Amino acid sequence: MPFAAGPPRDELVVVATSPELASAAAAAIAADLRRAVADRGAASLVLAGGSTPRPVYELLAAAELPWDRIELFFGDERCVPPDHDDSNFAMVETCLLRALPGPPPAVHRIRGELGPRAAARAYDQVLRKHCEARGGWDVVLLGLGEDGHTASLFPAALPTEDGRLAAEGRAPVVPHERVTFTLRGLASCRQVVFLARGASKLPALRSVLASSPAQSGVPPAALVAGRRRWFVDLAALTGVS
């Protein structure tokens, strides 16, 4: 039975600097994963791409976590080979996976090299299987774009979901072709962790926090349901670098 997230409920964690943001987010994610393992015997984490999560992954790699009981998924991926410079998997492999001691986690990467349609279809099947067995995901890590996008859910190109948990996405920047969790997929996550860093994120952050999913024309990040914990540095909150 899929986990139903319900309407957004926001918690705002404000820190002074980017290193503090990474430290606070990594500590919270690690605590959530430990709690899931203690409660259910296993945990699942959906990873974000981009530059902001990199130090979070480096800190998680150094944390004492039962990685052999944790499954890793990806919120989105570019349609490139897994060793490509633009690959989210390649970034996670460098920052997190190669640094882990002991038994590794199970990693469910998006096979972007198949192309958007085939990769989305294959990943949707992976997500459905997990959702049926586990009811959803314990933690999803998301970023916030200056246009209010998150994962590869962009304002001008929200995918038609048709009940899918993963779908083709299209970004306004290269590489354009993407595969992404859908809003329905993200609604099956118990804890949503957003990262917002830098003065350029202030307009999007204000818009998302002030929006209701019932409104029309709201940023995609505002449509993500459930428990949303925001880790924000002062620059993102005030617009002052």
Side-chain angles (χ1 to χ4, degrees), residues 96-110:
L96 175 62
L97 298 178
R98 290 178 184 171
L100 291 178
V107 180
H108 304 277
R109 76 174 183 87
I110 300 171

PDB file of all heavy atoms in Angstrom, residues 96-110:
ATOM      1  N   LEU A  96      29.957   9.805  -2.703  1.00  0.00           N
ATOM      2  CA  LEU A  96      29.389   8.960  -1.652  1.00  0.00           C
ATOM      3  C   LEU A  96      29.803   7.497  -1.774  1.00  0.00           C
ATOM      4  O   LEU A  96      30.430   6.948  -0.866  1.00  0.00           O
ATOM      5  CB  LEU A  96      27.859   9.080  -1.678  1.00  0.00           C
ATOM      6  CG  LEU A  96      27.057   8.182  -0.725  1.00  0.00           C
ATOM      7  CD1 LEU A  96      27.400   8.486   0.723  1.00  0.00           C
ATOM      8  CD2 LEU A  96      25.558   8.342  -0.968  1.00  0.00           C
ATOM      9  N   LEU A  97      29.486   6.872  -2.883  1.00  0.00           N
ATOM     10  CA  LEU A  97      29.609   5.421  -2.965  1.00  0.00           C
ATOM     11  C   LEU A  97      31.045   4.942  -2.826  1.00  0.00           C
ATOM     12  O   LEU A  97      31.307   3.952  -2.118  1.00  0.00           O
ATOM     13  CB  LEU A  97      29.018   4.923  -4.286  1.00  0.00           C
ATOM     14  CG  LEU A  97      27.512   5.208  -4.486  1.00  0.00           C
ATOM     15  CD1 LEU A  97      27.061   4.710  -5.848  1.00  0.00           C
ATOM     16  CD2 LEU A  97      26.694   4.583  -3.382  1.00  0.00           C
ATOM     17  N   ARG A  98      31.974   5.617  -3.466  1.00  0.00           N
ATOM     18  CA  ARG A  98      33.375   5.167  -3.402  1.00  0.00           C
ATOM     19  C   ARG A  98      33.983   5.379  -2.019  1.00  0.00           C
ATOM     20  O   ARG A  98      34.996   4.745  -1.694  1.00  0.00           O
ATOM     21  CB  ARG A  98      34.205   5.914  -4.444  1.00  0.00           C
ATOM     22  CG  ARG A  98      33.894   5.525  -5.882  1.00  0.00           C
ATOM     23  CD  ARG A  98      34.720   6.333  -6.849  1.00  0.00           C
ATOM     24  NE  ARG A  98      34.390   6.060  -8.238  1.00  0.00           N
ATOM     25  CZ  ARG A  98      34.840   6.757  -9.275  1.00  0.00           C
ATOM     26  NH1 ARG A  98      35.663   7.789  -9.069  1.00  0.00           N
ATOM     27  NH2 ARG A  98      34.479   6.436 -10.507  1.00  0.00           N
ATOM     28  N   ALA A  99      33.385   6.246  -1.224  1.00  0.00           N
ATOM     29  CA  ALA A  99      33.944   6.559   0.099  1.00  0.00           C
ATOM     30  C   ALA A  99      33.370   5.685   1.209  1.00  0.00           C
ATOM     31  O   ALA A  99      33.823   5.778   2.355  1.00  0.00           O
ATOM     32  CB  ALA A  99      33.680   8.029   0.433  1.00  0.00           C
ATOM     33  N   LEU A 100      32.400   4.840   0.881  1.00  0.00           N
ATOM     34  CA  LEU A 100      31.743   4.060   1.931  1.00  0.00           C
ATOM     35  C   LEU A 100      32.592   2.862   2.348  1.00  0.00           C
ATOM     36  O   LEU A 100      33.074   2.114   1.500  1.00  0.00           O
ATOM     37  CB  LEU A 100      30.381   3.565   1.439  1.00  0.00           C
ATOM     38  CG  LEU A 100      29.300   4.623   1.230  1.00  0.00           C
ATOM     39  CD1 LEU A 100      28.036   3.980   0.696  1.00  0.00           C
ATOM     40  CD2 LEU A 100      29.022   5.367   2.524  1.00  0.00           C
ATOM     41  N   PRO A 101      32.744   2.655   3.642  1.00  0.00           N
ATOM     42  CA  PRO A 101      33.424   1.454   4.128  1.00  0.00           C
ATOM     43  C   PRO A 101      32.423   0.306   4.236  1.00  0.00           C
ATOM     44  O   PRO A 101      31.217   0.512   4.342  1.00  0.00           O
ATOM     45  CB  PRO A 101      33.897   1.877   5.523  1.00  0.00           C
ATOM     46  CG  PRO A 101      32.840   2.836   5.988  1.00  0.00           C
ATOM     47  CD  PRO A 101      32.367   3.560   4.746  1.00  0.00           C
ATOM     48  N   GLY A 102      32.902  -0.904   4.198  1.00  0.00           N
ATOM     49  CA  GLY A 102      32.040  -2.041   4.464  1.00  0.00           C
ATOM     50  C   GLY A 102      31.054  -2.345   3.354  1.00  0.00           C
ATOM     51  O   GLY A 102      31.177  -1.855   2.230  1.00  0.00           O
ATOM     52  N   PRO A 103      30.041  -3.144   3.678  1.00  0.00           N
ATOM     53  CA  PRO A 103      29.057  -3.554   2.670  1.00  0.00           C
ATOM     54  C   PRO A 103      28.329  -2.349   2.084  1.00  0.00           C
ATOM     55  O   PRO A 103      27.868  -1.485   2.822  1.00  0.00           O
ATOM     56  CB  PRO A 103      28.091  -4.460   3.457  1.00  0.00           C
ATOM     57  CG  PRO A 103      28.872  -4.904   4.655  1.00  0.00           C
ATOM     58  CD  PRO A 103      29.790  -3.784   4.989  1.00  0.00           C
ATOM     59  N   PRO A 104      28.207  -2.286   0.771  1.00  0.00           N
ATOM     60  CA  PRO A 104      27.580  -1.115   0.135  1.00  0.00           C
ATOM     61  C   PRO A 104      26.061  -1.201   0.181  1.00  0.00           C
ATOM     62  O   PRO A 104      25.485  -2.273   0.394  1.00  0.00           O
ATOM     63  CB  PRO A 104      28.086  -1.205  -1.305  1.00  0.00           C
ATOM     64  CG  PRO A 104      28.237  -2.674  -1.536  1.00  0.00           C
ATOM     65  CD  PRO A 104      28.705  -3.249  -0.222  1.00  0.00           C
ATOM     66  N   PRO A 105      25.388  -0.074  -0.056  1.00  0.00           N
ATOM     67  CA  PRO A 105      23.932  -0.098  -0.164  1.00  0.00           C
ATOM     68  C   PRO A 105      23.497  -0.645  -1.516  1.00  0.00           C
ATOM     69  O   PRO A 105      24.295  -0.742  -2.453  1.00  0.00           O
ATOM     70  CB  PRO A 105      23.563   1.383  -0.037  1.00  0.00           C
ATOM     71  CG  PRO A 105      24.751   2.095  -0.604  1.00  0.00           C
ATOM     72  CD  PRO A 105      25.949   1.277  -0.223  1.00  0.00           C
ATOM     73  N   ALA A 106      22.234  -1.011  -1.610  1.00  0.00           N
ATOM     74  CA  ALA A 106      21.656  -1.336  -2.910  1.00  0.00           C
ATOM     75  C   ALA A 106      21.388  -0.026  -3.637  1.00  0.00           C
ATOM     76  O   ALA A 106      20.800   0.896  -3.069  1.00  0.00           O
ATOM     77  CB  ALA A 106      20.361  -2.120  -2.727  1.00  0.00           C
ATOM     78  N   VAL A 107      21.843   0.071  -4.880  1.00  0.00           N
ATOM     79  CA  VAL A 107      21.721   1.306  -5.654  1.00  0.00           C
ATOM     80  C   VAL A 107      20.838   1.053  -6.871  1.00  0.00           C
ATOM     81  O   VAL A 107      21.118   0.159  -7.679  1.00  0.00           O
ATOM     82  CB  VAL A 107      23.101   1.823  -6.099  1.00  0.00           C
ATOM     83  CG1 VAL A 107      22.950   3.110  -6.898  1.00  0.00           C
ATOM     84  CG2 VAL A 107      24.015   2.041  -4.897  1.00  0.00           C
ATOM     85  N   HIS A 108      19.780   1.842  -6.992  1.00  0.00           N
ATOM     86  CA  HIS A 108      18.871   1.730  -8.120  1.00  0.00           C
ATOM     87  C   HIS A 108      19.042   2.989  -8.976  1.00  0.00           C
ATOM     88  O   HIS A 108      18.386   4.004  -8.745  1.00  0.00           O
ATOM     89  CB  HIS A 108      17.430   1.617  -7.640  1.00  0.00           C
ATOM     90  CG  HIS A 108      17.202   0.477  -6.697  1.00  0.00           C
ATOM     91  ND1 HIS A 108      16.980  -0.817  -7.119  1.00  0.00           N
ATOM     92  CD2 HIS A 108      17.192   0.434  -5.335  1.00  0.00           C
ATOM     93  CE1 HIS A 108      16.820  -1.611  -6.077  1.00  0.00           C
ATOM     94  NE2 HIS A 108      16.932  -0.874  -4.983  1.00  0.00           N
ATOM     95  N   ARG A 109      19.926   2.925  -9.948  1.00  0.00           N
ATOM     96  CA  ARG A 109      20.166   4.099 -10.769  1.00  0.00           C
ATOM     97  C   ARG A 109      19.177   4.155 -11.924  1.00  0.00           C
ATOM     98  O   ARG A 109      18.590   3.142 -12.319  1.00  0.00           O
ATOM     99  CB  ARG A 109      21.600   4.127 -11.286  1.00  0.00           C
ATOM    100  CG  ARG A 109      21.916   3.182 -12.417  1.00  0.00           C
ATOM    101  CD  ARG A 109      23.329   3.423 -12.939  1.00  0.00           C
ATOM    102  NE  ARG A 109      23.640   2.573 -14.092  1.00  0.00           N
ATOM    103  CZ  ARG A 109      23.362   2.879 -15.348  1.00  0.00           C
ATOM    104  NH1 ARG A 109      22.769   4.022 -15.644  1.00  0.00           N
ATOM    105  NH2 ARG A 109      23.675   2.054 -16.341  1.00  0.00           N
ATOM    106  N   ILE A 110      18.983   5.336 -12.445  1.00  0.00           N
ATOM    107  CA  ILE A 110      18.172   5.529 -13.642  1.00  0.00           C
ATOM    108  C   ILE A 110      19.072   5.298 -14.858  1.00  0.00           C
ATOM    109  O   ILE A 110      20.120   5.934 -14.981  1.00  0.00           O
ATOM    110  CB  ILE A 110      17.567   6.943 -13.678  1.00  0.00           C
ATOM    111  CG1 ILE A 110      16.665   7.163 -12.454  1.00  0.00           C
ATOM    112  CG2 ILE A 110      16.782   7.169 -14.970  1.00  0.00           C
ATOM    113  CD1 ILE A 110      16.201   8.598 -12.292  1.00  0.00           C
TER     114      ILE A 110
END
